[in-house]
Amino acid sequence: MEPVKVAIIYYSSTGNVHALAKAAAEGAEKAGAEVRLRKVAELAPPAAISANPVWGHHLQDTANVAEASVEDLAWADAALFGTPTRYGSPASQLRALIDGTASLWREGKLADKVYSAFTASGTAHGGQESTLLALGNTFYHWGGIIVPPGYTDPIQFKLGNPYGTSHVAAGGPPDDVALEAARFQARRVVDIAAALKAGRIR
Ligand SMILES: Cc1cc2nc3c(=O)[nH]c(=O)nc-3n(C[C@H](O)[C@H](O)[C@H](O)COP(=O)(O)O)c2cc1C
């Protein structure tokens, strides 16, 4: 069987979600997947970006990361989406890519794929779960197979978020637990996508 194709599509202003996305890419690759790590296009005005030096630096530091397109979703057997929590919801930059998928959706090309999501927020109760669940709404519309991490590995009892990997950024960049959880989440996505791919009859 061909390797599972995994698209890891993320938005990050200040690097936290980017770090989780890289860990997820490592986990997926280690599980044998062919991986596309893709950032979505930055849509914020230059004035907003320059008001936060960390944002500007992160933009420069990730200039060589390929930009996501809807074609990456058409290509993939499984996709992991990463976004900062923005007022308890996914970032508009990620939503803009998602809102460009109408043709693929209409053609049924987003159905029967495995989807999962991860996030970072400023505070512990700042809306990580609502953000992840909001992405889940889209996966339902696509006819996707939502694969959350649950508590299916010991790392999840340390992380404590069964909906998807999440990190509280106020305490600094993602620690070893969050990075390991992201690797695990991606591995689980690959394993389940591989089982589906092997058993696919059409
Ligand atoms: C416009 C805006 C809205 C935000 N909304 C929330 C929020 O609802 N809850 C929260 O805990 N943090 C919120 N934050 C903080 C971000 O979620 C947090 O900084 C996140 O870790 C950034 O991820 P990044 O480093 O990948 O960009 C918000 C930040 C911005 C700029």
Side-chain angles (χ1 to χ4, degrees):
M1 188 180 78
E2 280 184 12
V4 170
K5 296 175 187 154
V6 177
I8 296 171
I9 295 180
Y10 76 95
Y11 174 72
S12 182
S13 297
T14 53
N16 291 283
V17 174
H18 172 67
L20 296 178
K22 279 199 306 184
E26 284 165 23
E29 269 164 14
K30 207 164 167 202
E34 186 181 344
V35 176
R36 288 187 185 178
L37 176 64
R38 301 285 188 264
K39 67 182 183 199
V40 297
E42 181 56 84
L43 303 174
I49 297 168
S50 59
N52 179 351
V54 182
W55 193 351
H57 286 138
H58 179 68
L59 203 54
Q60 280 176 5
D61 291 347
T62 53
N64 61 347
V65 178
E67 265 188 17
S69 78
V70 294
E71 193 276 325
D72 295 313
L73 288 173
W75 167 85
D77 300 306
L80 285 122
F81 289 87
T83 177
T85 288
R86 292 273 188 264
Y87 305 122
S89 300
S92 58
Q93 288 87 344
L94 182 64
R95 287 298 325 173
L97 180 97
I98 288 171
D99 289 355
T101 60
S103 294
L104 285 181
W105 163 75
R106 211 173 289 111
E107 293 162 14
K109 290 186 176 161
L110 299 173
D112 305 335
K113 296 176 190 249
V114 167
Y115 297 107
S116 203
F118 53 93
T119 191
S121 65
T123 61
H125 301 287
Q128 294 178 342
E129 292 171 20
S130 56
T131 298
L132 295 172
L133 291 168
L135 283 170
N137 288 337
T138 295
F139 305 152
Y140 278 103
H141 282 252
W142 288 347
I145 297 149
I146 300 173
V147 174
Y151 292 96
T152 57
D153 185 273
I155 193 67
Q156 288 301 115
F157 290 90
K158 294 183 183 166
L159 182 84
N161 191 340
Y163 301 90
T165 302
S166 58
H167 169 65
V168 178
D175 59 8
D176 288 347
V177 169
L179 296 175
E180 192 47 36
R183 289 185 200 103
F184 164 68
Q185 184 177 356
R187 186 169 81 235
R188 179 167 159 80
V189 160
V190 172
D191 288 349
I192 291 176
L196 284 167
K197 195 165 175 155
R200 188 142 284 161
I201 53 171
R202 62 178 171 81

